[in-house]
Amino acid sequence: MMTLLSWIAGFLLMSITAAQDLNHFPENFVLAKINENSVTLTCGAPTAGPVTWKLNDEDVDFEDDFEQKDKILTVKEVDAPLLGEYSCWRGNAKLSSAYLLQETEEGEDIDSLLTCHAKSYDCNFSCSWTDSRYAVVRLGIGPECSKGQRSCQWVSNSGQLENARFQFELYHNLSPFAEENSMLEVTAEAINNHFLLLRKTKLFYLRDIVVPDSPRIVSSEVVGQQLSINIKPPSSWSTPYSFFSLQHEIEYVLRDDGRTERSLSSLIPKRISKLRVRCRDPLVLSPWSQWTPWKNVRNSCRCKKQKNSKLPSRCLEHCKKKMEERTKDAKRSQGL
């Protein structure tokens, strides 16, 4: 009993240590398919001669689980304790190594594991892997990747977000000006701490993941009894803007009673205290962008005399009337 417990404790310690060392996707690995009983590993020794094998830096025990012929090692029964990094040696020289991984279908739905979004219809978009139970993850686009072919151009993570999530920057070759008829095919390969490899593919149209950045509030101008808001697309949005149109929504707070209202028109009531704006693609009804920060609105015009001062036309008229009223009041006070 003690021997069995010692073996289990040793295996768990060996797996934890190896998983901590696995901080990038292994360049060389052999994948054991589901229900595959045995696999073979070949030593990459450049010359002939006897070699020895190690599993996670421990000597391989040939009693039951392995069979060696020249430079080929056969793992008879693929199981969790026999997964990990295999290396072949000649004396104290390490000749080559490869990870033995086992395919798994375990895991949640791909939509809960991988989320993607694009700021525009340009050639790049980003994805984030949301499951922290996996040590390393990589992504690829196209059928070559979904089939696990060597021709796949895999993309490593470009950074790590909070909660141990991985961030990826990907590129596609879809024309932003053509009608989108084909779906993007993004495949994720992830290895957990037990050397199980999960491969899942996510299919979506680019238009389904577009969420624009917040727009820009450029200026405001009084037009009669209303306020006209000049709004520009975010700098990350696709151009020309005449082709890639955006719909804007304004949220504002009324100055008189403090009520909050919204409008899809750029003309809103004049007497407001603050406003903010968001946008979306009206053709596909994309999700709304984030709101801009609240912007305080001042409707009054300052009529101070300043050299070379430039006032809006509405303020010039307002200040002219104000100066005329002051002149009349001054003459009355003097009895003129």
Side-chain angles (χ1 to χ4, degrees):
M1 183 66 177
M2 289 300 296
T3 303
L4 178 60
L5 291 176
S6 299
W7 181 88
I8 294 176
F11 164 68
L12 291 176
L13 179 61
M14 180 177 61
S15 296
I16 293 174
T17 302
Q20 289 176 343
D21 292 337
L22 192 61
N23 54 15
H24 64 280
F25 216 95
E27 181 178 353
N28 300 314
F29 68 89
V30 175
L31 182 62
K33 301 292 185 179
I34 297 175
N35 299 324
E36 188 173 15
N37 293 327
S38 64
V39 295
T40 58
L41 302 168
T42 302
C43 179
T47 58
V51 297
T52 58
W53 288 87
K54 291 183 179 182
L55 169 58
N56 297 327
D57 292 330
E58 298 291 333
D59 291 336
V60 168
D61 184 2
F62 286 92
E63 183 175 346
D64 297 311
D65 301 316
F66 304 97
E67 181 179 289
Q68 181 178 356
K69 184 177 181 181
D70 297 327
K71 295 187 293 182
I72 297 177
L73 179 70
T74 300
V75 183
K76 295 180 180 179
E77 295 289 338
V78 178
D79 201 357
L82 303 181
L83 301 177
E85 183 184 20
Y86 283 81
S87 56
C88 63
W89 299 71
R90 181 171 294 139
N92 295 325
K94 185 177 180 179
L95 303 176
S96 67
S97 66
Y99 280 83
L100 176 58
L101 309 175
Q102 189 171 37
E103 191 178 47
T104 179
E105 292 181 343
E106 296 179 1
E108 304 173 36
D109 182 75
I110 184 62
D111 290 331
S112 63
L113 297 172
L114 187 68
T115 59
C116 300
H117 75 277
K119 296 181 178 181
S120 69
Y121 292 96
D122 294 341
C123 296
N124 59 298
F125 65 99
S126 60
C127 296
S128 60
W129 178 267
T130 58
D131 196 328
S132 59
R133 294 173 298 176
Y134 291 85
V136 291
V137 184
R138 65 181 182 180
L139 303 184
I141 300 179
E144 299 89 353
C145 302
S146 62
K147 298 175 183 177
Q149 297 177 357
R150 291 187 176 273
S151 57
C152 172
Q153 300 295 317
W154 295 103
V155 177
S156 301
N157 62 289
S158 58
Q160 196 164 3
L161 305 176
E162 296 179 358
N163 302 323
R165 296 187 302 168
F166 296 106
Q167 181 76 12
F168 298 85
E169 298 297 328
L170 301 171
Y171 298 88
H172 63 82
N173 56 4
L174 301 177
S175 171
F177 300 99
E179 184 177 357
E180 190 178 10
N181 296 318
S182 59
M183 304 181 80
L184 287 170
E185 190 173 344
V186 178
T187 298
E189 285 191 346
I191 304 174
N192 68 9
N193 292 334
H194 303 293
F195 301 106
L196 297 178
L197 185 141
L198 177 69
R199 179 186 294 140
K200 285 184 175 289
T201 299
K202 184 182 183 78
L203 296 171
F204 54 86
Y205 289 106
L206 179 63
R207 60 177 178 263
D208 292 335
I209 66 168
V210 169
V211 182
D213 282 335
S214 301
R216 297 170 289 166
I217 303 176
V218 177
S219 62
S220 61
E221 183 178 3
V222 174
V223 179
Q225 296 301 313
Q226 293 181 303
L227 193 65
S228 176
I229 309 300
N230 185 8
I231 306 169
K232 296 296 184 183
S235 58
S236 58
W237 188 243
S238 303
T239 56
Y241 299 145
S242 58
F243 185 85
F244 299 99
S245 60
L246 281 175
Q247 179 184 41
H248 300 104
E249 183 176 45
I250 304 174
E251 186 173 58
Y252 54 89
V253 177
L254 295 171
R255 180 175 297 178
D256 296 333
D257 55 17
R259 286 188 295 112
T260 299
E261 296 186 356
R262 293 182 181 179
S263 172
L264 295 177
S265 171
S266 60
L267 291 175
I268 60 176
K270 181 172 65 175
R271 293 186 58 79
I272 65 171
S273 59
K274 60 181 180 179
L275 61 86
R276 61 179 183 175
V277 183
R278 63 180 182 175
C279 62
R280 69 174 177 180
D281 184 343
L283 297 180
V284 300
L285 293 180
S286 72
W288 287 101
S289 71
Q290 294 293 318
W291 288 102
T292 62
W294 283 104
K295 181 179 178 65
N296 294 326
V297 177
R298 296 178 61 93
N299 289 329
S300 60
C301 296
R302 296 185 178 183
C303 301
K304 293 182 179 180
K305 292 182 179 180
Q306 297 179 2
K307 188 176 182 179
N308 298 326
S309 62
K310 294 182 179 180
L311 295 174
S313 58
R314 66 179 180 84
C315 288
L316 287 174
E317 186 65 26
H318 169 80
C319 293
K320 182 180 178 181
K321 291 181 180 179
K322 193 171 184 180
M323 290 301 294
E324 290 176 351
E325 292 174 358
R326 287 181 179 178
T327 301
K328 291 179 181 179
D329 290 341
K331 289 181 177 181
R332 290 193 192 101
S333 64
Q334 295 175 5
L336 299 177

